[in-house]
């Protein structure tokens, strides 16, 4: 799960496509909101509410499905679109909340994984 | 957890630090679960539930605060830790859900921003 | 917790209107579902998911409002209708969950208030 | 808010036990908050947030369970207590929200059931 070689970089297989990194998406979201004068609404409390609302909308896709039906949800084009759309909404509000609070979401997750590795030792 | 030398690439200003990309974190989360035999629990429906539960825990930090107090939440060390911890949990379940459903979360968000640009034209 | 005197009882000022008690509404919800063969979907896990989804929809009404706007939400006919509609949905799933799990929601709340009275003594 | 026939009333089998009606519980909750000077926190927006948070905590009980395990959740004393406790919290915030907004939750539900009877005709 390397780390040494971030470098120049034929060897970074998953080097992200331009435009598709978390900081770039955060910048686009901030610009999108600024141009529309929506920043006034993007308080931490409102964004945390919106995040929860969108997580609920994502859960709604699955709420009446059996485990088997839920596992197959992407094979239906409409459901697949809805899932991607709600994933995007959840991520959008999470990233905007992180921007406003100056939290680095990827670093927060990496640190949490490390804490969990101590907390739940591998068998 | 360095950072200085992101390299090659004067033209990719925000080239991510090694280990801190979405696909790498998804791999670490998958490995973490596999080693502990937790994959059986990580059905789409369960992960969507867990995501909503964690979004609620993040909202809980803000629920009784005034907008002013909420805006200042990171200046208290305990609250700041709690926010980062819950952000990490939300992101962890979102990424695991995306792994299981084979959704690319960054691409889903980029496409959603594009749809929103048509839907809400800039003034 | 009383009980003896449910009684004839001119002194029970808030004796509920016929049809508007929790057990009667639980019966109507159960019958509504049974007639439509929806009981198969009303597992505890699905109902707990649906409850959370509907709570999110109720929160959605308030998510971008200032505290002042939120306090005034019932003065707009459309918002007022939406609030009542979402309150009904939350209550419907909560009562159906209680029916399926054989939990008495009013008794659970009365007992919780008593626990909270010890836990948070009045000043 | 009539109720012509609330009656003497051997024919009202489920006449509620004293103390265990929605309006009485709403009064107790209001008094509990007033005595502790918590009413300042009980804005509609905060209560709608708290409701969603508690719904998430109720869902948390079920999130990793199979449908079969979820159906059996009340046979374990600890889980049963947790379910009743979270049901009480959800109901408490829902009722407090209704008090603040002057919404009658039982009437809202009765009216919703009627709308649903037209919307989803019985087969």
């Amino acid at each position: 799960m390397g780390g040494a070689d971030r470098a120049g970089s034929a060897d970074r297989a998953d080097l992200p496509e331009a435009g598709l990194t978390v900081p770039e998406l955060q910048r686009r979201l901030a610009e999108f909101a600024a141009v529309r004068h929506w920043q006034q609404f993007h308080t931490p409390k409102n964004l945390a509410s919106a995040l929860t609302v969108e997580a609920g909308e994502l859960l709604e896709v699955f709420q009446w499905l059996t485990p088997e039906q839920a596992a197959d949800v992407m094979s239906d084009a409409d459901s697949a679109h809805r899932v991607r759309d709600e994933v995007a909404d959840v991520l959008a509000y999470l990233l905007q909340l992180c921007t406003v609070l100056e939290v680095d979401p990827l670093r927060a997750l990496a640190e949490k994984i490390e804490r969990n590795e101590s907390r739940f030792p591998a068998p």
Side-chain angles (χ1 to χ4, degrees), chain A:
Chain A
M1 197 122 308
D5 61 13
R6 43 195 66 188
S9 69
D11 52 329
R12 289 281 308 277
D14 53 19
L15 200 61
E17 217 176 309
L20 290 182
T21 66
V22 163
E24 285 167 284
L25 288 164
Q26 285 183 292
R27 256 198 315 275
R28 285 183 68 186
L29 289 165
E31 195 184 307
F32 186 92
V35 167
R36 286 156 186 79
H37 305 292
W38 289 358
Q39 287 163 320
Q40 57 182 314
F41 302 112
H42 288 182
T43 65
K45 190 164 175 157
N46 290 2
L47 290 166
S49 296
L51 171 63
T52 307
V53 169
E54 296 299 334
E57 293 186 10
L58 180 52
L59 178 57
E60 195 179 14
V61 179
F62 300 97
Q63 69 185 344
W64 304 122
L65 304 185
T66 63
E68 295 71 32
Q69 292 168 330
D72 202 36
V73 77
M74 301 304 287
S75 68
D76 174 72
D78 283 349
S79 303
H81 177 79
R82 202 171 151 208
V83 165
R84 277 194 295 265
D85 199 61
E86 298 299 350
V87 162
D89 283 338
V90 171
L91 185 57
Y93 287 124
L94 182 65
L95 295 188
Q96 290 178 96
L97 180 64
C98 286
T99 300
V100 170
L101 297 178
E102 298 181 30
V103 168
D104 178 333
L106 300 181
R107 189 173 298 280
L109 177 51
E111 288 172 1
K112 176 83 189 221
I113 294 173
E114 276 155 44
R115 285 198 299 281
N116 277 347
E117 275 162 357
S118 321
R119 203 173 142 211
F120 305 101

